[in-house]
Amino acid sequence: MTESVVLDPVDLHLLRLLQNDARTTYRDLAAQVGVAPSTCLDRVTRLRRSGVILGHQLRLDPAKLGRGLQALLSVQVRPHRRELVGPFVERIRALPESRTVFHLTGPDDYLVHVAVADMTDLQRLVLDEFTAHREVARVETRLIFQQWDCGPLLPPGAPRSTPSAKSG
């Protein structure tokens, strides 16, 4: 199990702000958190080096890219053995339609979030890229009507609200 990193209130505030907008400048971050820009840079660098911050991602609108239909595919792989699982996951991750792949416990082995053009494209994906492979025993499809992002990810016990800026 990975060890957690000890974070103080300033670190938590920085993480909240960066999760809302990763392009915020160090100067703006520093002003909002109440520290010097150099301190802010040092803290964010430490958060990156410690693995708390994994990277920065650009979010795209799938519909604007011609992939207006999203679905969750529950997949059962049989037999569920390492020599089949690794290649299966790499093949699914390489598909341009795949957004996220989860390895699960329970009756389904994987949950795959996909974005496709339409129902015909979804059917092609399921039949040609999933069930056409011998190790895939079952695929169950659930369409996504709407999706919402949630608040920032913080460690257990962290205050839910953003601390007020230091006065002084």
Side-chain angles (χ1 to χ4, degrees):
M1 188 169 143
T2 305
E3 288 186 34
S4 61
V5 174
V6 177
L7 304 170
D8 67 16
V10 173
D11 293 330
L12 295 173
H13 196 173
L14 285 168
L15 292 173
R16 273 190 193 89
L17 293 169
L18 287 169
Q19 285 182 79
N20 288 331
D21 183 0
R23 296 184 318 160
T24 306
T25 66
Y26 288 115
R27 182 185 311 246
D28 290 343
L29 284 172
Q32 291 180 62
V33 176
V35 298
S38 60
T39 301
C40 182
L41 175 61
D42 290 345
R43 283 178 174 262
V44 172
T45 300
R46 181 180 50 80
L47 291 168
R48 280 195 187 105
R49 284 191 186 132
S50 67
V52 172
I53 297 175
L54 298 176
H56 306 280
Q57 294 181 339
L58 180 67
R59 293 181 51 215
L60 303 174
D61 182 342
K64 299 241 169 89
L65 296 174
R67 296 183 182 279
L69 182 65
Q70 295 185 66
L72 297 173
L73 307 179
S74 299
V75 182
Q76 223 176 47
V77 174
R78 294 293 177 260
H80 194 126
R81 292 194 310 238
R82 190 171 301 277
E83 63 269 14
L84 293 176
V85 165
F88 169 78
V89 169
E90 290 312 309
R91 186 174 64 251
I92 298 310
R93 288 184 66 211
L95 295 172
E97 298 88 352
S98 295
R99 306 306 313 133
T100 310
V101 180
F102 298 94
H103 192 187
L104 309 171
T105 63
D108 296 314
D109 300 312
Y110 296 94
L111 184 64
V112 183
H113 176 196
V114 299
V116 295
D118 52 29
M119 288 298 283
T120 302
D121 196 26
L122 180 60
Q123 181 182 26
R124 177 208 49 81
L125 179 70
V126 170
L127 294 177
D128 295 347
E129 302 294 346
F130 284 83
T131 60
H133 296 276
R134 190 177 321 169
E135 71 272 16
V136 176
R138 183 179 65 80
V139 175
E140 189 173 305
T141 304
R142 291 177 178 84
L143 298 180
I144 298 173
F145 291 138
Q146 196 169 0
Q147 127 185 19
W148 295 267
D149 289 333
C150 298
L153 178 64
L154 298 171
R160 292 177 184 249
S161 63
T162 303
S164 59
K166 294 180 183 177
S167 59

